[in-house]
Every structure is written in C-alpha cells, then in structure tokens.
Amino acid sequence: KLVIDSPGPDAARLSAALDGVATLDPEGHAWVREAWLRKQDDAAAWQDGLTAMVGVAKKYNWVDEQKKAIRAHIEYPNEPAKT
C-alpha cells in the first residue's frame, strides 16, 4: 500500500511524485514497478520476501506482467472525513 501524506487525492501531483516508481490507474490504485522495489534493498531476506509477495499478488491478479508492476492501494490518512 501507499500512504500519502496529503489532505486528499491530487492525481497530477501524485503522478509527478511517483514518476519512475509507480503509475496510477483510473480506479485509484498505484502500480509499483517491481524493478524499483528490488532496488530498495539487496539483502537476500528482502528479495525473498518480495518474491513471495509477488507470488501472492499474482493469485489475485494484482501483477501486471507486461508492465512488471504490482498493484497497491492508496490511503490518504489526512483526507477530511466525508459526511
């Protein structure tokens, strides 16, 4: 998941901030590049954990094999409550 420290979604700003890391889809999900995730830590434990996570995500169709990206939901904890 991505947790965004913002008062609410702003697709243009979010797309710019995530450039090279993830892309946004119309449903409000981020598609995080697996290559970017892999670069975050070279440790075997990280790489093995990431491989396992991708394996689970594939079961739910949360992996885009063509784009080599994993779907993540986005949370906005500072978004004003909707009434």
Side-chain angles (χ1 to χ4, degrees), residues 1-4 14-15 18 21-34 37 61-64 67 69-76:
K1 79 178 170 183
L2 295 176
V3 179
I4 307 299
L14 188 52
S15 289
L18 293 175
V21 175
T23 57
L24 302 176
D25 70 18
E27 289 82 35
H29 297 104
W31 289 86
V32 183
R33 292 179 47 235
E34 183 178 352
L37 290 168
N61 294 318
W62 294 342
V63 175
D64 184 327
K67 294 181 182 178
I70 300 101
R71 189 176 94 169
H73 69 276
I74 303 173
E75 293 180 2
Y76 299 92

Side-chain angles (χ1 to χ4, degrees), residues 2-69:
L2 295 176
V3 179
I4 307 299
D5 186 16
S6 171
D10 179 337
R13 286 183 60 205
L14 188 52
S15 289
L18 293 175
D19 188 39
V21 175
T23 57
L24 302 176
D25 70 18
E27 289 82 35
H29 297 104
W31 289 86
V32 183
R33 292 179 47 235
E34 183 178 352
W36 182 85
L37 290 168
R38 296 243 175 242
K39 289 180 187 176
Q40 301 313 297
D41 194 331
D42 290 332
W46 169 265
Q47 297 296 322
D48 292 347
L50 181 56
T51 298
M53 183 200 69
V54 170
V56 171
K58 284 181 181 181
K59 293 178 185 179
Y60 296 96
N61 294 318
W62 294 342
V63 175
D64 184 327
E65 296 288 352
Q66 204 169 26
K67 294 181 182 178
K68 303 291 185 207

